[in-house]
Amino acid sequence: MTQRKTELPKATGLLSVVSTPLGNLGDITVRSLELLRSADLVLCEDTRTTGMLLKHLGIQATLKSYHAHNEHIILDKILAQLQSGARMVLVSDAGTPGISDPGFLLIRHLLQHGVKVDVAPGPSAILPALLLSGFPCDRFVFEGFLPLKKGRKTRINALKTEARTIILYESPHRILRTVKDLAEILGQDRQACLARELTKIHQEIIHLSLAELSKHFESKPPKGEIVLVLQGASKD
Ligand code: SAM
């Protein structure tokens, strides 16, 4: 006689993608706090950065590194833990995971294996910069960081006729070169907005043309975190 195995109900794991403040702790959401408090494991880029954030928020959690250098290697281990019922949270150093930060590979891998993924929306540098630019925000494109070498010119050339508002991330030590490269191809008069240190005490929003921005930074190199927003190309 063959015996049928009793099927145990499958444990339902969950990965919650949680955004963290860009600089102002007040931007953490109530839902994010609850998810961080109740997580079995918090996956984070840098355990020290997230550890400090959680300490400020009065939350104790088990942290595990998940960053650009190990994300390929640990996908299956995380999958197995979720398949056995773990509740995990994914955060990055600041802002929304997956947006110019690790996250995409894991989310795709889990969805392909039928694991539940949810997102608790919150801070990201894209939208505050877009709104503060005063450029049309009904349609926009996010370009992330421009490549440093290969494909850089091609990417900028492709933006020449882009009519939607364009959002770029950049680091302070590369911004001058990027503004100059953009001015050369998109035109010196293209209007731009530079949003620096968003949500922090020294937040600064500068509205200038690309030529003016380049001049501005030649005399005063910027510091801190930067989003560059460009007005879309005019129809003519
Ligand atoms: N995941 C993040 C998000 O959702 O915005 C982005 C991470 S990416 C590694 C870091 C870049 O985001 C910075 O170089 C800068 O372009 C932008 N950024 C992050 N925080 C910012 C802030 N407070 N002010 C301006 N830009 C910021």
Side-chain angles (χ1 to χ4, degrees):
M1 198 175 88
T2 52
Q3 230 182 357
R4 268 186 72 191
K5 269 192 190 161
T6 320
E7 291 257 343
L8 291 170
K10 266 196 180 163
T12 51
L14 169 69
L15 177 81
S16 301
V17 183
V18 166
S19 302
T20 51
L22 300 172
N24 187 328
L25 276 190
D27 291 338
I28 191 88
T29 68
V30 174
R31 186 172 160 209
S32 300
L33 288 174
E34 280 165 7
L35 288 166
L36 284 163
R37 264 189 217 115
S38 59
D40 298 317
L41 194 63
V42 175
L43 303 171
C44 56
E45 274 188 281
D46 181 336
T47 50
R48 274 181 51 195
T49 306
T50 300
M52 261 154 57
L53 171 73
L54 295 186
K55 198 171 164 202
H56 280 299
L57 298 171
I59 295 173
Q60 276 197 326
T62 309
L63 305 181
K64 186 180 171 65
S65 288
Y66 173 80
H67 46 68
H69 304 291
N70 74 353
E71 60 177 340
H72 291 85
I73 306 161
I74 62 170
L75 286 183
D76 281 327
K77 196 168 171 204
I78 297 172
L79 172 66
Q81 283 174 284
L82 286 162
Q83 282 172 331
S84 34
R87 299 246 143 186
M88 290 192 198
V89 161
L90 172 68
V91 294
S92 58
D93 283 350
T96 300
I99 305 299
S100 297
D101 266 338
F104 156 69
L105 282 184
L106 180 61
I107 294 168
R108 183 179 63 179
H109 194 64
L110 298 181
L111 293 177
Q112 282 170 348
H113 287 84
V115 170
K116 217 174 143 196
V117 178
D118 199 11
V119 172
S124 182
I126 300 174
L127 294 185
L130 172 66
L131 293 173
L132 289 167
S133 74
F135 300 142
C137 53
D138 51 344
R139 298 179 72 205
F140 62 91
V141 286
F142 173 61
E143 283 286 323
F145 291 95
L146 286 174
L148 298 183
K149 290 185 188 145
K150 202 169 170 269
R152 183 174 171 91
K153 275 255 158 82
T154 316
R155 278 273 289 277
I156 301 179
N157 269 317
L159 296 175
K160 216 168 162 180
T161 53
E162 175 55 69
R164 294 168 291 185
T165 300
I166 301 159
I167 303 172
L168 296 155
Y169 280 174
E170 198 42 282
S171 76
H173 57 276
R174 282 198 298 264
I175 187 70
L176 183 58
R177 179 187 156 202
T178 293
V179 167
K180 284 186 172 188
D181 288 353
L182 288 166
E184 197 185 302
I185 298 176
L186 307 186
Q188 306 287 335
D189 294 337
R190 179 70 71 98
Q191 292 303 302
C193 168
L194 186 128
R196 202 176 67 79
E197 297 289 79
L198 285 161
T199 78
K200 302 182 190 175
I201 300 168
H202 298 295
Q203 172 170 307
E204 182 185 29
I205 312 296
I206 306 171
H207 295 90
L208 288 173
S209 69
L210 286 174
E212 290 164 335
L213 258 187
S214 164
K215 238 188 189 164
H216 180 81
F217 289 135
E218 262 166 6
S219 58
K220 192 180 170 228
K223 287 186 186 148
E225 307 215 68
I226 291 167
V227 182
L228 184 63
V229 188
L230 304 175
Q231 189 163 37
S234 62
K235 288 212 172 78
D236 44 296

